[in-house]
Amino acid sequence: MADGHDDTSCGATAADAGLSCYTSALLAYLAEEDPTAPARLAYSARLAIQPAAQPEPPAFRHHATALDQLPDGTLLQPKGAERLDTALGALADEIEAHGRVLFTADAARLPWAHPGQEPAPHFLVATGHRDGELWQMHDHFSGLFPNGLEQVPFSGWVSSSDMAALFTTHDAFSPVQRRRSREVFGHVVPASPVGTRQWFIRVPAGDTDDAAEDDVWITDPDDVSGYLVEHLDAVCAHGGEPAVLEDLWAASRHHQYKYNVLLASRCPERLPQRERALRRALSCWSGLPKTLRFAVNSARRGRPRTSLIDTTLRDLAAAETEARSLLGQEDKEQLWPLTTPSTTTSDEQRSTTGNTRPCAPVRTA
């Protein structure tokens, strides 16, 4: 039983349009305390990959700055438990302490999910419960999944039996999916053991179990594009389904959100070159998933579209490079006024330049 006719919501739902199911829930959680969260998430969007032996899929990171930080000095840290009652008790404790809790559900087991939805990690925000029999739930994701199924946001109450079904253990997910969950904040976090249910608690900064950083990450758009062209060609040559299509779908949504936020900033002396570059990058990211899906399906029918993949990703790299060159520290200061040097990664510092005029702060709902 799920009742979606409740008016109570969590976070700025208008601001998360265009994000993935991970980041829409994360933004809603952060925005309850951090008014800069929408712009902070937008500015952080950046695609990085960690190479793997072909044709194995690379790992992906979608954010240049850590998104697990809250204004009170705490960090979000994953926790896990095998027993359902233990996990539900922990959710109740977080709601009591902070008014909400972020946790991992199975997209295929959501009462409002479409029939045929495949298992996948899906972030939800819970904001209340009634003696553990009913749970107040918020799913902020809106849009098309990579499989073409459409979802609209849900806000309402679910029964204890529905909660038991959707709050599944991590062994329902593939190793690739579990790796994605570890990179959701823009850096690797400790993995919850397989067979446990996962939620996030608040811990003081410095109390986290720092996971060892992985080897080399590629962040330059041309290098990322070149690697992805080789990878997609290798997978398509064997008629396979590239797992990276889901990652690139998420990257597309993150970057659409980023450039829409940047274009919405009010600048009385907007530079025409800057706006053209942002709109070009937005267009490239918007069309990416559909173009790659067409190329993959065509290869399965014996008609490889190698040149289409190469041209699409090379054009995207050129557009992203140009857009980055026209975004400077002024943009960051206006979009995210509470930024401090300690929350900026070294590769992001290298990619920003100071050749733009400051614009008025963006307004988000």
Side-chain angles (χ1 to χ4, degrees), residues 46-116:
R46 180 221 53 194
L47 185 62
I49 59 174
Q50 184 186 58
Q54 301 285 17
E56 293 299 313
F60 286 78
R61 284 183 183 166
H62 297 271
H63 306 286
T65 52
L67 298 179
D68 53 355
Q69 305 170 1
L70 287 113
D72 64 356
T74 60
L75 303 175
L76 290 171
Q77 183 180 61
K79 295 290 288 184
E82 293 183 13
R83 291 177 55 90
L84 177 63
D85 58 350
T86 301
L88 291 177
L91 295 192
D93 289 344
E94 280 294 301
I95 292 172
E96 178 68 23
H98 303 291
R100 65 203 186 284
V101 61
L102 184 70
F103 71 99
T104 304
D106 184 351
R109 301 188 182 191
L110 303 177
W112 53 93
H114 286 277

Side-chain angles (χ1 to χ4, degrees), residues 47 62 246-256 285 288:
L47 185 62
H62 297 271
E246 291 193 25
D247 300 281
L248 293 174
W249 166 83
S252 168
R253 293 182 67 88
H254 294 150
H255 283 81
Q256 288 179 67
W285 281 109
L288 181 66

Side-chain angles (χ1 to χ4, degrees), residues 2 8 37 59 113 115 127 197 199 248 311 315 350 361:
T8 305
T127 56
R197 296 165 172 83
W199 67 96
L248 293 174
T311 300
D315 287 349
R350 288 193 296 269

Side-chain angles (χ1 to χ4, degrees), residues 266-287:
R266 299 175 180 178
C267 183
E269 299 182 40
R270 186 185 299 280
L271 297 176
Q273 181 186 5
R274 177 183 182 273
E275 181 165 2
R276 285 196 300 269
L278 298 186
R279 292 196 181 281
R280 179 191 175 199
L282 174 60
S283 177
C284 287
W285 281 109
S286 299

